[in-house]
Amino acid sequence: HELGMEDIFKRNTNYILSKRTMLRDTFQMLDIHYKAKTTDTVKALDNDNLIPYLGWLMAWGRIEDTYLVWEKIENLGVSDNKIILKYSSFLIGKKDIVKALAVLQEKGSFKGMMNGGFEIEISRAGFDWRYSDNANWKIKRLKSPVFEGVYALEIEFTGKENISFYHLYQIVPVEPSGSYSLTYNWKSEGITTDQGPFMEIYSYDKGRLNCRGDMIRGTNDWAEETIEFTAPEECHAVVVRLRRLKSTRFDCKIAGHIWLDNFRLDLLNAKK
């Protein structure tokens, strides 16, 4: 590099990257060498090193630079499901919903909720369901009880704390100003306290929106609930989330089970 031997510099750099070692240092060196010009870096890289480069750019949050690299990767016909899911999740995190849909080959069209019946393993990424476990609750797919299909989702509250729960949700693409109907089925057993869980919908990227379903308390057989809402202008995604607020009563520690199944999101009318 210091001797101006550009061809040897490129060849040795790609060799180091092909070994998947010192990736951060090597990409940092390239970034300095090409003065952060992604177009020049892409030209210098072998095709097999483009995905690691995309990962490095995502780690630094350089969303604009990732567009060019992804276009090159797409033109090469790469169909690695892991990088597709990782990159779409990155774009969703940056609230670029339109681009994320394009990466997932949805072409920006309305597709409703993903995995609404929990029939496939939950990836916790992209437009799939996301959740986290805790000593105060447990979340799992199971085959009984179910409302339809083979699987449903169980949320068990352990009764240890008076918790604020917001840890099960899905980011759902919508059309700006579109009117929608969210329908789902639920069942409960022994849900305690005055503050039961409920489904809520709020805007993810732009505009104000907050709609809530009824609280779930006590023991109930399978029931169906529908929440209608209109996406704000310029809003391309909403969050569908299971929520529970803290109770102010003495008997405030929530326990019991909820089962969810068969989520459907219907477009009532598109924007005019």
Side-chain angles (χ1 to χ4, degrees), residues 178-201:
S179 295
Y180 292 88
S181 172
L182 172 70
T183 305
Y184 55 95
N185 295 93
W186 62 271
K187 174 183 171 72
S188 65
E189 181 179 284
I191 295 294
T192 62
T193 81
D194 63 315
Q195 292 296 321
F198 55 88
M199 297 304 303
E200 71 171 354
I201 303 167

Side-chain angles (χ1 to χ4, degrees), residues 74-90:
E74 276 194 314
N75 290 338
L76 292 170
V78 176
S79 58
D80 185 329
N81 288 332
K82 289 184 179 180
I83 191 59
I84 290 172
L85 186 59
K86 183 177 180 180
Y87 185 44
S88 63
S89 297
F90 167 78

Side-chain angles (χ1 to χ4, degrees), residues 45-265:
L45 289 174
D46 291 343
N47 292 339
D48 291 342
N49 292 326
L50 289 173
I51 289 179
Y53 181 47
L54 178 68
W56 183 81
L57 290 171
M58 286 192 287
W60 283 101
R62 287 166 53 174
I63 185 170
E64 296 290 339
D65 291 330
T66 66
Y67 296 155
L68 175 66
V69 181
W70 182 256
E71 183 180 358
K72 181 69 178 293
I73 291 172
E74 276 194 314
N75 290 338
L76 292 170
V78 176
S79 58
D80 185 329
N81 288 332
K82 289 184 179 180
I83 191 59
I84 290 172
L85 186 59
K86 183 177 180 180
Y87 185 44
S88 63
S89 297
F90 167 78
L91 293 169
I92 293 169
K94 294 293 184 181
K95 299 189 176 181
D96 191 342
I97 305 302
V98 175
K99 182 66 174 178
L101 282 169
V103 168
L104 291 169
Q105 298 180 338
E106 301 285 0
K107 307 304 181 187
S109 60
F110 172 70
K111 295 293 181 180
M113 294 193 68
M114 180 177 178
N115 202 10
F118 308 100
E119 294 302 303
I120 60 175
E121 193 70 35
I122 298 172
S123 66
R124 307 195 202 188
F127 292 109
D128 199 359
W129 292 98
R130 306 183 187 206
Y131 67 90
S132 59
D133 291 316
N134 185 285
N136 295 305
W137 66 82
K138 299 177 183 178
I139 300 175
K140 60 183 177 180
R141 290 169 69 233
L142 39 67
K143 294 184 177 181
S144 179
V146 298
F147 179 78
E148 60 87 31
V150 179
Y151 286 93
L153 193 72
E154 177 188 66
I155 303 93
E156 176 188 358
F157 296 101
T158 59
K160 295 180 180 181
E161 299 287 344
N162 177 22
I163 59 170
S164 177
F165 180 83
Y166 47 87
H167 301 83
L168 171 67
Y169 65 97
Q170 182 177 137
I171 300 168
V172 184
V174 295
E175 293 185 9
S177 301
S179 295
Y180 292 88
S181 172
L182 172 70
T183 305
Y184 55 95
N185 295 93
W186 62 271
K187 174 183 171 72
S188 65
E189 181 179 284
I191 295 294
T192 62
T193 81
D194 63 315
Q195 292 296 321
F198 55 88
M199 297 304 303
E200 71 171 354
I201 303 167
Y202 65 91
S203 175
Y204 177 66
D205 51 353
K206 293 184 179 180
R208 291 186 177 183
L209 171 68
N210 193 287
C211 299
R212 297 181 177 183
D214 295 333
M215 281 197 296
I216 299 172
R217 291 180 290 186
T219 298
N220 301 273
D221 201 358
W222 283 108
E224 182 173 278
E225 186 166 4
T226 298
I227 305 173
E228 293 188 357
F229 67 94
T230 299
E233 293 183 12
E234 300 183 356
C235 173
H236 293 89
V238 298
V239 178
V240 175
R241 179 170 69 174
L242 183 66
R243 186 85 166 92
R244 189 260 180 180
L245 303 175
K246 284 187 176 182
S247 173
T248 58
R249 294 189 178 182
F250 178 76
D251 55 341
C252 59
K253 297 178 180 179
I254 184 170
H257 296 75
I258 292 175
W259 295 272
L260 299 173
D261 202 357
N262 198 29
F263 280 81
R264 295 94 70 200
L265 187 64

